Structure formats: C-alpha cells, structure tokens
Amino acid sequence: MKSFLNVQDLGDLRQALAEAQEIKANRYKYDMLGKNKTLLMVFFNNSLRTRLSTQKAAMNLGMNVIVLDVNAGAWKLETERGVVMDGDKSEHLLEAIPVMGSYCDVIGIRSFAGLTDREYDYAETVYHQFEQYSGKPVFAMETATVHPLQAFADLITIQEYSPLQTSPGGGFLCGSHSPSGEQEGGRGSVPKVVLTWAPHPRALPQAVPNSFAQWMLEAGRQSLPLGGEGRGLGIDFVITHPEGYELDPAFTAGATIEYDQKKAFEGADFIYAKNWSCPGVTRPEDYGKILHDYHEMMHWTVDAEHMSWTNNAHFMHCLPVRRGMIVTDDVIEAPTSLVIPEAANREISATVVLKRILQGLQNAEI
Ligand code: AN0
Ligand code: CP
C-alpha cells in the first residue's frame, strides 16, 4: 500500500478486520517489520489521539519515529502555488516535501480543511502534493476531507460491540431499513448505526463524518461475515442533521438521510455523534460556515432523553468532544459509551495500516 486515504485503499475489509484482531491478540507480532525504517508524522493541526496512537503503532512495528509540528518550530509553510511569498510564510511546501521525504521511509499527514475554498479542500491538494513530491508512501492522519484511521477504528469497534444477528438473507445489509421491515421491539435484524450532527461553537471540518459514512457504506457493500460462522453484520445506516448540513454524496450515496433526529434515533444500536460545518453541497455559498447560532441548536445535543429513543444504543464519538455541546456528561459516562475503547482501537487501526505500508516497501525491495 502506497497511499491510505479512502476505504478502498484497504481493499477487502474482511481481511483488514482479521488483521486488526491478529494485531489485537499480539500487537508486537510484526516488531521486526519496521526495523531501520523511519516514520515521519507531519502535523499542521493539533492532535492527542492520532499523535500518540500512530507513534505507538509505529513502535509496535519496530520503526523509528520523527514528529514535526509545522506550526511549532518549523518554518511557516506556503501551500498554494503561484503566490508571491512576501508574507509570514518562509518556505514553500513544494521544497519542504521532498526534503522531508529524504529523511524518512513513510509519511503521515494531518492537514485539516481550510474551510474557505471548497474546491481546494475537496481536491485534497496538500495530501496529493505529499503523494507526488515526497517519493514515499503517505497516509492520512485526517486530511481536508477524510479521517480513515478513525473510521477504521470505528469499524473495528462496531464489529466488537455489534449485536451481530443473522440477517434474514444471511447477507450484510446496508442502506435503509431491513428488507423484511422487521423491527421487533425496536431491534431490527441488523444493527442500526446512526450518524448524528450535534452543536459546536466553532466551525469544524467534515472529514470525520465523511469517512465514517464512506466506511459504513463500504462495509455494507462488502457483505462482511463478521462475528463468526454463519453470522452476518448488517448495517442500517442513517444520517441525521439539520437542513443545510448535507454531506458530499461522494461519501454518503446509499445512506438514509433523516432530518427528524428522533425518528433517526428510534431503534438505533449505535449513535455516532459529530459536529461538522456546512459542507457546501446544498448551500455552496455557506461552505465551512456554522449555519445557526449554536444556542438555537442545543436540542441536537445527545442527552439521556435522546438515548431513550434508541435500542439502548452505544454512544460513539471520535474525540475530542465538548461535553454539554455534543453530548451530556451522563451519556458519555454511561456503561454504553464506547468512546474509550474506540480511541484505544486507533492504535490497532494504525498498526494494521503501517504494517500494510511496510509490507509494500518490503515487497518493493525484494
Ligand atoms: C477535529 C475535527 O472535527 O475534524 C478533529 C477530530 C478528530 N476536531 C476539532 O477540531 C475539535
Ligand atoms: N480522534 C482524533 O483523531 O483525535 P486527535 O485529534 O486528538 O488526534
């Protein structure tokens, strides 16, 4: 694997989840694979989990690790071409990238959306420049539009905590409700996973919800026999948000969009909360903006009443989370909350991805 941005880069998810469980059983199994190989992690934005879990993953594989915080000690980097650099940026990314590439074997990139130029963000301009000019395999640690290490960890977590019931056709279902329409006591034949928008005081990127939708829908398409012999993991995947926050269909095509949050929550087995700013799909002029004063949107905060509409759902969030905005204390602290095992699985997803990249390098050397 030379690049990790989208779910398709991992190929067969059944295989990827098996590798995740293999790593979970023994996270040092491949501790020689990364010997004398150096990972460079480049951060244009803050991080706690990605920084720690990806470094830990690299150490599990025997790699050396260098971390560069671009905004804390490096020269300020210009990312756009064609500008006269007479401002505060001392170096251009197009020189910095090949230089960084000369000191390492693999590069991880965190570079959030600027949220001002949709075309620039959705073209993944910065990530593709690293791909093109570093000469090394690269992977996303949340780029402008995606956060695949998070979505992979979320999929691992859902697999681990799924009610895992065989779907009527024995298959892996996705999209709207199960074909037979069964909802016995709120529990359908397949787990219902709901991605819900929640309020936040700052404009946040769409990367996390984009990837979560992309991975859930692909998991559906691949008919994964998760949970053992003869069992299927179906996903009834629903997205709920106020009007105007429609995500890019490149990520969500095939999902059920339900504007009524209560209806969306009914019978849910997993509630995945996240804030995102306007994706500029139905309202291009509002790309990257917060559409309403958050004080008016507090009824979207996931609280105990919201959770009472569900099938005793697990609560998920990628973290960092603002309590009292996205979720209340009691919901995030409840035994059904998965935020800590979800974050712990970031080490597992990163180990699998780095292992794949290192195996690719090894094969290229043979
Ligand atoms: C970032 C985001 O929403 O994309 C990172 C989440 C992993 N969150 C914040 O900036 C608070
Ligand atoms: N979930 C996540 O990526 O967290 P950090 O921003 O702390 O890395």
Side-chain angles (χ1 to χ4, degrees), residues 109-164:
I109 302 141
R110 166 158 288 203
S111 175
F112 289 177
L115 296 179
T116 50
D117 181 343
R118 186 179 201 278
E119 213 177 312
Y120 182 85
D121 289 344
Y122 272 72
E124 285 290 359
T125 313
V126 172
Y127 183 83
H128 291 310
Q129 285 179 344
F130 271 92
E131 254 183 342
Q132 197 174 346
Y133 300 113
S134 71
K136 306 292 169 178
V138 295
F139 64 96
M141 301 193 302
E142 187 172 335
T143 57
T145 65
V146 288
H147 195 0
L149 286 172
Q150 181 65 51
F152 185 17
D154 296 333
L155 179 63
I156 296 167
T157 310
I158 287 174
Q159 178 202 17
E160 289 172 344
Y161 289 87
S162 182
L164 284 174

Side-chain angles (χ1 to χ4, degrees), residues 153-155 157-158 212 270-274 314-318 336-339 342:
D154 296 333
L155 179 63
T157 310
I158 287 174
F212 187 68
F270 293 90
I271 296 297
Y272 192 98
K274 183 72 184 85
H314 288 291
F315 176 81
M316 297 179 74
H317 188 280
C318 64
T336 42
S337 168
L338 297 183
V339 295
E342 184 183 356

Side-chain angles (χ1 to χ4, degrees), residues 98-353:
V99 170
M100 291 189 247
S102 72
Y103 306 135
C104 65
D105 302 283
V106 182
I107 305 183
I109 302 141
R110 166 158 288 203
S111 175
F112 289 177
L115 296 179
T116 50
D117 181 343
R118 186 179 201 278
E119 213 177 312
Y120 182 85
D121 289 344
Y122 272 72
E124 285 290 359
T125 313
V126 172
Y127 183 83
H128 291 310
Q129 285 179 344
F130 271 92
E131 254 183 342
Q132 197 174 346
Y133 300 113
S134 71
K136 306 292 169 178
V138 295
F139 64 96
M141 301 193 302
E142 187 172 335
T143 57
T145 65
V146 288
H147 195 0
L149 286 172
Q150 181 65 51
F152 185 17
D154 296 333
L155 179 63
I156 296 167
T157 310
I158 287 174
Q159 178 202 17
E160 289 172 344
Y161 289 87
S162 182
L164 284 174
Q165 296 170 56
T166 312
S167 63
F172 188 88
L173 308 170
C174 201
S176 57
H177 296 275
S178 60
S180 56
E182 294 165 44
Q183 292 284 329
E184 297 145 23
R187 180 177 283 261
S189 57
V190 294
K192 180 172 178 183
V193 179
V194 179
L195 166 62
T196 183
W197 181 94
H200 196 281
R202 304 236 171 108
L204 296 187
Q206 297 104 43
V208 170
N210 283 346
S211 281
F212 187 68
Q214 185 192 57
W215 283 68
M216 288 301 111
L217 291 163
E218 184 60 23
R221 273 179 221 114
Q222 291 195 17
S223 302
L224 302 185
L226 305 171
E229 197 60 30
R231 306 186 87 179
L233 173 64
I235 292 183
D236 177 7
F237 183 57
V238 178
I239 306 176
T240 184
H241 54 73
E243 283 188 43
Y245 286 103
E246 291 76 14
L247 292 161
D248 194 311
F251 297 100
T252 60
T256 302
I257 313 295
E258 172 57 70
Y259 293 104
D260 182 332
Q261 196 188 23
K262 184 164 192 249
K263 266 196 201 150
F265 272 48
E266 277 164 11
D269 298 293
F270 293 90
I271 296 297
Y272 192 98
K274 183 72 184 85
N275 171 268
W276 62 90
S277 60
C278 176
V281 172
T282 50
R283 293 167 63 153
E285 67 285 5
D286 289 327
Y287 173 64
K289 292 190 185 144
I290 297 178
L291 297 177
H292 323 265
D293 184 325
Y294 70 80
H295 294 98
E296 292 163 24
M297 305 309 286
M298 298 304 278
H299 53 287
W300 281 81
T301 302
V302 181
D303 64 9
E305 192 197 337
H306 283 68
M307 294 306 279
S308 76
W309 303 330
T310 71
N311 178 34
N312 195 25
H314 288 291
F315 176 81
M316 297 179 74
H317 188 280
C318 64
L319 306 182
V321 74
R322 290 190 185 226
R323 289 180 178 216
M325 293 286 321
I326 302 279
V327 60
T328 53
D329 295 294
D330 49 347
V331 170
I332 199 169
E333 290 169 4
T336 42
S337 168
L338 297 183
V339 295
I340 306 303
E342 184 183 356
N345 275 333
R346 290 291 306 276
E347 178 186 344
I348 306 303
S349 65
T351 308
V352 172
V353 167

Side-chain angles (χ1 to χ4, degrees), residues 63-104:
M63 298 183 84
N64 301 311
V65 180
I66 308 175
V67 181
L68 178 68
D69 287 299
V70 174
N71 298 321
W75 300 110
K76 247 186 155 199
L77 295 177
E78 177 58 62
T79 54
E80 310 233 14
R81 278 193 80 245
V83 286
V84 176
M85 288 170 54
D86 59 356
D88 61 342
K89 312 244 173 91
S90 311
E91 179 160 22
H92 202 286
L93 197 61
L94 294 177
E95 281 76 56
I97 290 173
V99 170
M100 291 189 247
S102 72
Y103 306 135
C104 65

